Amino acid sequence: MRIEYERMVEVFEKILASRGLDADDASLSARIFADNSLCGVISHGANRFPRVIDYIDKGDIDVTAKPETVFATSLFERWDCKRGLGFLNAAKAIARASEMSDESGIGIVALKDNNHWMRGGTYAQLAAERGYIGICWSNTTPNMPAWGAKDSRIGNNPLCIGIPRKSGAPFILDLAMSQYSYGKLESTRLAGKKLPYPGGFDEEGRLTDDPASIEKSKRVLPFGYWKGSGLSIALDLLATLLTSGNSVMDIGGFDNEVGLSQVLIAINPERFSIGDLDYVVSRNLEYIKDSDPVDAERRVSYPGEGLYRTKRANQESGTIEVVDEVWNRILSYL
């Protein structure tokens, strides 16, 4: 099924408004979900929308909560988000971090007790599209075993980096600490496909490319094995310290994945006299793209390039692909 972009925004906005969001917040939130789908990341767009509405309806997300600044310096702010809308708070936080970087060169906003921000790459992308370097990460519920363990005690804490580029698509790295995010597992399963590479273990402890088996065992594979495991722990510790908020261990004690700790950083390149940023970025990315490809029919690309290619294709067609059962469930909330 394919849905027009504006129709998707309209439906999302109407449902969110019916749950108590004011007009501006409902509009911004709806476009975050629709834009994720427009870029081809339906796992954190349309597919994730029903879960958010369920969380709102159960009271796990407080749509009336407004973030409060509880600590501030010239380049750092800590917000208590009071378990409000995670994606809305994150979008406002990267905008605020960008404002601070106009004065100080760098701006950091640490979000305490926030909820799921959907696609972390959204905020690195928002920064890059405005000419800033964006760096952000979040912790999660314990959903991945530490290297050498069977039970999940660390998160697949996503790390995202955006670097602007005037002459082409910006560099957007959106990296879960697992080989595949749980959203990717879900979207692959719903599409009736296998993963391109093994992404975790089945219940017998065997590496598998079957997303359903991994979802059942809850044993996703850290990327780089022990390296991804170690980076996950580091990101969790940093997020917990900077936000004075919940760690992965703390979040595991809640009924659902709520009360997360997130850090969003914006760097203003113009404040650091780094020369022609666009030339440096483009020169290096084009050098990488000119690599000899393994598949002669597929040119090597850089992180973010495929995202914008999908976005342009969907914009040209005027529609976005959506899983039938997901869209029908979304319409049931109207």
Side-chain angles (χ1 to χ4, degrees), residues 254-270:
F254 304 146
D255 290 335
N256 287 307
E257 190 176 34
V258 295
L260 309 182
S261 300
Q262 296 154 351
V263 180
L264 298 99
I265 301 172
I267 299 171
N268 187 332
E270 295 182 359

Side-chain angles (χ1 to χ4, degrees), residues 159-195:
L159 170 66
C160 310
I161 300 173
I163 301 175
R165 186 185 184 203
K166 295 178 182 177
S167 58
F171 175 94
I172 307 294
L173 178 69
D174 189 345
L175 186 68
M177 296 301 103
S178 54
Q179 185 68 38
Y180 299 98
S181 70
Y182 275 93
K184 181 64 174 179
L185 294 178
E186 179 186 45
S187 62
T188 303
R189 171 176 52 80
L190 289 173
K193 297 180 179 179
K194 299 290 187 180
L195 298 167

Side-chain angles (χ1 to χ4, degrees), residues 119-136:
R119 179 174 71 97
T122 296
Y123 317 105
Q125 185 175 340
L126 285 173
E129 289 178 345
R130 296 167 182 164
Y132 301 90
I133 296 169
I135 305 170
C136 52

